[in-house]
Amino acid sequence: MGLVARLLPPGLMICALVFTLPQFGSCHPAQTSEPHRVLFTEQFIRPEVRFHWRNITCPLCKSIFTILDIALLSDANKERVAHAVGEACVHLHLAEERVCREITELFKKDFIQALQESLLWPTEACALLVGPSCGKFDIYAPWNITLPKVPKPPVTPPSPPKPGSPQSKVLVLTDIHWDQNYEPGSAADCKEPLCCRKDSSSPHRWQRKAGYWGTYGKCDVPIQTVENLLENVARAGPWDWVYWTGDIPAHNVWSQTRKQQLSELTVISRLIQKHLGPNVTVYPAVGNHETTPVNSFPPPFVRGNRSSSWLYDAMADEWVTWLPEQALKTLRYGGFYTVEVQPGLRLVSLNMNFCSKENFWLMVNSTDPANQLQWLVHTLQSSENKGEKVHIIGHIPPGLCLGSWSWNYYHIVNRYESTIAGQFFGHTHLDEFQMFYDEATMTRPVGVAFIAPSITTYLNLNPGYRVYFVDGNYQGSSRLVLDHETYILNLTEANHSPGAPHTPEPNPKWALLYRATEAYGLSSMFPSDHDGLMRTFITDDRVFQKFWYFRYKGRVSKVCRESCKTETLCYLRSGRYEQMEQCDLFNGLGGNFVRAARKTLC
């Protein structure tokens, strides 16, 4: 035991850094450009955490994990594990000492239990960390959902609705990331992963200060911005319904408690109810930040205090005015549900945390956690039988999911392309989309995953929200997205009144950034229109640069050219994770692009 104890720290250091410390990395740092060489991966790389796993040799890695496996056979070593993790974090300067200590304490019980229950062998762990030359990482091995033997119906290309046909006006809110400790006037630049807070210290004379309505940089939004948004969208209605795709809490993931998470869930849910009123139904989805530790979503077979029932039960209680009993039942079980929005239109809300690599509970079993995708197939087949159209909402876009999960989801979208009329996600904080193509040729567009911009400013963004105009409630409606608008709060203007530069606007205006059909000269936003837009991006750089500006909600200062543009277009095509891997191959990036894309830990 003495030898094991002495050798524990490096092994624990590796485990913790892989599965916990990256959790408080940024989503998309401020865009950077270099003349003649702009890599798309730069948008994803975290500015705070710099540690390169390729510096670890294969034999050392395997030795470390062998020792770790032996150590964790005894529960008595759990505290040694946690202590060593904290020490490694501090000595490697991966974060401020307080952050290291607190995040270690927060993660230790969940992560260590998941590691003990997993089948993670040293060769598998080191294949993940060091590369395939060090072993085979098959803990996320391929698996297949089962599709019914019912033949796929003939595909009829959608046609634009007749002039004057009804339309549904749908509001989408995502990635609020409300910071309870946001403090106007505090330091906007700090050493910790999240700034503009009461404990961020007072800024020096030459340092930026946190603005009243929000701040560009490593800052989330204050409650006054959330309320101002809701007041504005209430006036901008009426809304037929609302999609709310997750992430309520701030990015202070090292110091969150269950009590805090539940309090924020209650406050924001009730604010939305208050401002939008009792006649507007909101359909929520579970984000990766709703839990603590962040990204920790055990499958339903994990019971007791480590399960997610504390969160799902609270969500069901808060959302009971929006969701029927049957939807609340599956929400309590696994964080997903289905509900009829209108006759002929069904909604499916997926818990995308069961597809996330950052969910360390999937080390135990990653094969269709909670049987969610098989449930989705059953739901879609039932809707196909009844002639319903289906909208799918979730937090993490499918192209950023684990490979097998992403492949199965892509397969489902292909099979039910005539039933799935819309897909709506968030998580990246950016205004973008991902394409789905027929699996036979990968050329015919069959679907679009719309990714809405965030309300939070994190990182270097204006707050924003999305409005969709959907083919409306009438017999034979396609229920497809016809158009969409993005609105933003320009923080430069909101924090400085024209007549008093150091005084914020008392009631700032959320302004239209763009309407998609007008900005891109399209008649609708069908999958075929998006595919044509992608081709236009290639041939007309002016249109692509316009998209690039909109993608960052009006906060990009440099153009995206050459490899940056190539990889961005590849990302937009990648509704399936495997396609990003192929992009790596075609562009000679050696895996850097796909690894960076996976680090969207918003």
Side-chain angles (χ1 to χ4, degrees):
M1 183 61 69
L3 176 62
V4 169
R6 288 196 300 272
L7 293 178
L8 271 178
L12 299 169
M13 169 192 74
I14 293 177
C15 287
L17 297 180
V18 171
F19 293 106
T20 63
L21 294 176
Q23 315 291 355
F24 55 81
S26 63
C27 316
H28 291 268
Q31 59 284 349
T32 57
S33 297
E34 297 178 22
H36 312 300
R37 184 62 177 169
V38 183
L39 286 179
F40 176 72
T41 54
E42 292 174 357
Q43 302 161 51
F44 294 98
I45 293 174
R46 306 186 305 280
E48 301 89 0
V49 180
R50 304 277 187 194
F51 190 81
H52 301 286
W53 303 110
R54 273 42 182 191
N55 294 341
I56 301 171
T57 65
C58 184
L60 175 61
C61 180
K62 289 181 179 179
S63 299
I64 287 169
F65 269 88
T66 300
I67 294 168
L68 181 61
D69 284 347
I70 295 171
L72 288 180
L73 291 175
S74 170
D75 287 341
N77 280 325
K78 286 184 178 180
E79 288 303 320
R80 287 192 179 95
V81 166
H83 176 74
V85 167
E87 291 301 311
C89 176
V90 172
H91 292 305
L92 286 171
H93 306 291
L94 294 176
E96 292 296 292
E97 181 174 352
R98 180 177 67 86
V99 175
C100 286
R101 304 294 185 201
E102 290 183 7
I103 199 168
T104 300
E105 185 66 25
L106 179 62
F107 272 81
K108 68 179 182 182
K109 292 181 180 179
D110 288 70
F111 174 69
I112 292 174
Q113 181 175 335
L115 191 61
Q116 285 179 313
E117 294 184 16
S118 75
L119 301 176
L120 191 67
W121 292 89
T123 53
E124 294 171 328
C126 295
L128 174 65
L129 297 179
V130 181
S133 61
C134 195
K136 183 180 180 182
F137 183 58
D138 59 3
I139 194 167
Y140 303 129
W143 48 270
N144 296 323
I145 47 87
T146 302
L147 292 175
K149 294 181 179 179
V150 181
K152 178 178 177 178
V155 176
T156 302
S159 301
K162 296 178 180 179
S165 296
Q167 291 186 8
S168 298
K169 188 178 179 184
V170 183
L171 171 67
V172 174
L173 306 173
T174 192
D175 295 275
I176 296 175
H177 291 294
W178 161 44
D179 189 354
Q180 288 193 60
N181 288 321
Y182 187 97
E183 183 72 21
S186 62
D189 301 299
C190 67
K191 294 181 180 180
E192 294 186 344
L194 188 64
C195 305
C196 300
R197 318 188 79 222
K198 293 176 182 178
D199 57 1
S200 295
S201 73
S202 299
H204 298 294
R205 290 179 58 185
W206 59 87
Q207 286 184 313
R208 294 187 309 127
K209 297 180 180 180
Y212 181 78
W213 294 109
T215 308
Y216 301 125
K218 297 188 299 180
C219 304
D220 282 315
V221 292
I223 193 63
Q224 60 264 24
T225 304
V226 179
E227 288 212 71
N228 182 263
L229 162 69
L230 294 174
E231 290 167 358
N232 274 270
V233 297
R235 289 193 294 267
W239 306 102
D240 289 284
W241 63 86
V242 179
Y243 293 150
W244 176 22
T245 56
D247 270 13
I248 300 168
H251 287 83
N252 60 315
V253 299
W254 64 92
S255 62
Q256 292 169 341
T257 65
R258 289 185 176 184
K259 181 179 179 181
Q260 174 191 331
Q261 304 296 87
L262 295 181
S263 170
E264 293 173 353
L265 166 68
T266 299
V267 169
I268 298 301
S269 296
R270 294 182 185 181
L271 275 178
I272 292 174
Q273 293 177 30
K274 170 187 171 183
H275 289 287
L276 296 184
N279 297 324
V280 178
T281 302
V282 178
Y283 300 104
V286 182
N288 63 305
H289 275 264
E290 263 68 274
T291 190
T292 184
V294 67
N295 298 311
S296 176
F297 286 87
F301 62 76
V302 176
R303 301 183 183 276
N305 191 47
R306 301 267 70 81
S307 78
S308 292
S309 60
W310 65 273
L311 177 63
Y312 299 151
D313 288 346
M315 287 175 167
D317 292 342
E318 287 300 326
W319 300 342
V320 68
T321 58
W322 296 328
L323 303 178
E325 183 55 39
Q326 184 57 37
L328 295 174
K329 183 177 180 180
T330 55
L331 174 64
R332 291 179 188 274
Y333 171 73
F336 54 88
Y337 62 88
T338 182
V339 62
E340 183 184 68
V341 178
Q342 293 174 338
L345 177 63
R346 175 162 296 278
L347 171 76
V348 170
S349 178
L350 294 177
N351 186 348
M352 301 299 287
N353 296 292
F354 289 142
C355 82
S356 172
K357 180 182 176 182
E358 285 71 44
N359 182 3
F360 50 80
W361 282 102
L362 299 188
M363 291 188 298
V364 180
N365 183 3
S366 66
T367 302
D368 196 10
N371 207 34
Q372 181 179 216
L373 284 186
Q374 201 64 60
W375 168 86
L376 173 62
V377 169
H378 174 79
T379 303
L380 291 171
Q381 185 60 56
S382 177
S383 291
E384 180 181 280
N385 295 342
K386 293 184 288 187
E388 288 181 327
K389 299 298 183 182
V390 174
H391 283 179
I392 296 175
I393 65 172
H395 184 64
I396 300 172
L400 296 178
C401 291
L402 286 166
S404 288
W405 201 102
S406 181
W407 184 91
N408 278 288
Y409 182 83
Y410 206 97
H411 196 43
I412 293 169
V413 170
N414 265 259
R415 167 58 183 83
Y416 294 99
E417 65 170 294
S418 298
T419 298
I420 300 172
Q423 304 173 65
F424 307 90
F425 299 91
H427 184 64
T428 70
H429 295 193
L430 303 183
D431 187 324
E432 52 191 2
F433 60 89
Q434 288 184 328
M435 293 293 299
F436 292 73
Y437 293 90
D438 71 291
E439 293 179 301
T441 66
M442 295 304 289
T443 57
R444 182 178 62 84
V446 301
V448 180
F450 292 93
I451 303 173
S454 64
I455 294 171
T456 186
T457 57
Y458 194 92
L459 284 149
N460 290 312
L461 300 169
N462 287 307
Y465 69 89
R466 170 67 60 78
V467 178
Y468 291 101
F469 299 92
V470 177
D471 200 5
N473 188 20
Y474 64 91
Q475 186 67 32
S477 171
S478 70
R479 303 290 186 168
L480 291 167
V481 172
L482 304 176
D483 208 349
H484 62 76
E485 295 176 338
T486 291
Y487 290 81
I488 64 166
L489 179 65
N490 187 315
L491 288 181
T492 303
E493 298 174 358
N495 286 327
H496 304 283
S497 299
H502 301 291
T503 304
E505 286 279 359
N507 187 23
K509 185 177 182 181
W510 293 72
L512 174 66
L513 179 64
Y514 76 102
R515 185 173 176 118
T517 54
E518 294 177 1
Y520 298 124
L522 302 174
S523 59
S524 65
M525 300 305 293
F526 294 169
S528 57
D529 296 300
H530 278 82
D531 184 60
L533 183 60
M534 295 272 291
R535 298 175 192 277
T536 302
F537 287 164
I538 296 172
T539 59
D540 190 339
D541 190 62
R542 178 187 58 84
V543 178
F544 174 79
Q545 298 304 333
K546 182 186 291 186
F547 163 79
W548 186 252
Y549 177 78
F550 293 152
R551 188 176 189 238
Y552 286 91
K553 293 182 282 183
R555 273 289 296 169
V556 63
S557 59
K558 296 182 180 180
V559 297
C560 172
R561 301 197 188 281
E562 297 178 346
S563 58
C564 169
K565 181 175 178 178
T566 299
E567 289 138 20
T568 301
L569 294 176
C570 178
Y571 172 81
L572 298 178
R573 288 183 57 90
S574 299
R576 188 170 71 197
Y577 178 68
E578 173 190 299
Q579 292 171 287
M580 280 196 280
E581 293 182 311
Q582 292 173 349
C583 183
D584 257 357
L585 176 65
F586 294 150
N587 289 281
L589 295 174
N592 292 323
F593 164 60
V594 73
R595 281 194 298 271
R598 270 271 174 81
K599 293 174 183 175
T600 53
L601 304 182
C602 311

